[in-house]
Amino acid sequence: MGHSEKMSSGRPGPGTTADARGAPRTRPSLPDATGGILLTAMVAAQVVSGLDSRPARLTGLIVLLLTVCALAFAAGTYGPFRASAALCAAAAAGYAAEWVGVRTGLPFGDYDYTDVLWPRPGGVPVIVALAWGGMGLAAHATALAATTVSRGGRATRIVLGACALTAWDLFLDPQMTRLGLWTWHVPGPYRGVPLSNFVGWLLVSLLVMVLIDGITAGGTTTSAGLVGLYTVMALMETVGFAVVFTPPDLLVAVLGGVCMGCFAVAAWSGIRRRSRAWQT
């Protein structure tokens, strides 16, 4: 929030879901309850995937659960129309960037998708676009909650959200590369991933954050469910790279875990601060 957005007893905190009058609900709404069930299902699918000899075959299911989980939590905060519009806009931006990327090498670098993920219209798997949308919503909510502490404005929220989404790719690209879901023409220094990929991710993430923030109208209320989704992804990926994947990769576990973890901690600190302000 900007300096002009002062906290008052008339606004719910980012850990609460507001009703039509702006008052916080004391009970989880149906979308929030649905999001919780879907989040649990996604965690279960990730656990099964980690124990599976062919984990790539569950990738589509995990991303689908992630996406509908994010949509459910967002609907509980922004309403179903804005939540759906924000998800679709973020997914479309991600798809467009990937479509250009596989043809030109911009903005990520030269890469191609393998035949593992389907459907793949235009050479870009649908679940890749869905991942941009689902985690885009989670990263935006994380930035919105975190800026309660820093009192940053819209620009701060957008940049922070873009960085939070890019931090996820510190896990995503090494994992998907080792699963053979895409290949880099010229391998880079970070587990085969070129550094240009992260520059491209940050640029596209900025666009995704602008779209989500504009459609959801920024807001003084965010979703603890979406922040929870971001946090769970950080924890699951950290544990996966540290002890579950074969072979383990402590570099990715530590680097990704610290980067995503910092955003998650800042977000939960913001939620606690806003909750205390509402109570007083």
Side-chain angles (χ1 to χ4, degrees):
M1 296 189 308
H3 291 284
S4 62
E5 296 178 57
K6 298 179 181 179
M7 289 179 286
S8 69
S9 60
R11 292 175 179 173
T16 27
T17 300
D19 64 15
R21 298 168 299 169
R25 297 190 183 103
T26 57
R27 299 178 182 178
S29 65
L30 179 59
D32 289 334
T34 302
I37 293 172
L38 292 167
L39 180 59
T40 302
M42 187 196 71
V43 170
Q46 286 183 314
V47 171
V48 172
S49 175
L51 301 175
D52 198 314
S53 59
R54 292 188 296 163
R57 60 184 176 180
L58 291 177
T59 300
L61 175 62
I62 292 171
V63 173
L64 181 61
L65 288 170
L66 182 157
T67 304
V68 293
C69 172
L71 179 59
F73 282 134
T77 300
Y78 310 120
F81 177 78
R82 284 187 176 182
S84 299
L87 176 69
C88 289
Y95 178 87
E98 300 281 353
W99 188 91
V100 172
V102 296
R103 285 163 174 78
T104 68
L106 297 174
F108 308 106
D110 292 322
Y111 68 105
D112 284 307
Y113 286 98
T114 63
D115 294 331
V116 177
L117 299 177
W118 289 91
R120 199 177 57 184
V124 178
V126 171
I127 67 165
V128 170
L130 293 179
W132 277 102
M135 279 302 289
L137 287 172
H140 177 267
T142 297
L144 178 57
T147 51
T148 299
V149 175
S150 65
R151 294 180 178 272
R154 183 171 187 260
T156 301
R157 183 168 65 240
I158 288 171
V159 171
L160 195 66
C163 291
L165 186 53
T166 302
W168 178 51
D169 195 49
L170 293 171
F171 285 127
L172 181 66
D173 247 281
Q175 183 179 3
M176 298 302 106
T177 299
R178 71 157 61 192
L179 289 176
L181 303 186
W182 56 72
T183 58
W184 292 98
H185 296 178
V186 180
Y190 181 67
R191 297 304 187 250
V193 182
L195 299 182
S196 61
N197 171 70
F198 300 105
V199 176
W201 258 79
L202 184 59
L203 292 174
V204 177
S205 296
L206 284 169
L207 173 59
V208 168
M209 291 303 114
V210 168
L211 291 171
I212 292 175
D213 200 75
I215 293 171
T216 61
T220 59
T221 305
T222 192
S223 167
L226 284 171
V227 176
L229 172 59
Y230 187 89
T231 304
V232 166
M233 290 300 294
L235 291 173
M236 294 293 290
E237 294 282 11
T238 300
V239 172
F241 273 99
V243 298
V244 177
F245 299 155
T246 304
D249 192 329
L250 291 181
L251 171 65
V252 175
V254 171
L255 185 58
V258 168
C259 288
M260 287 191 75
C262 286
F263 291 111
V265 169
W268 288 114
S269 296
I271 287 174
R272 286 194 297 271
R273 176 173 175 171
R274 197 64 184 276
S275 179
R276 293 192 194 103
W278 172 262
Q279 293 171 1
T280 57

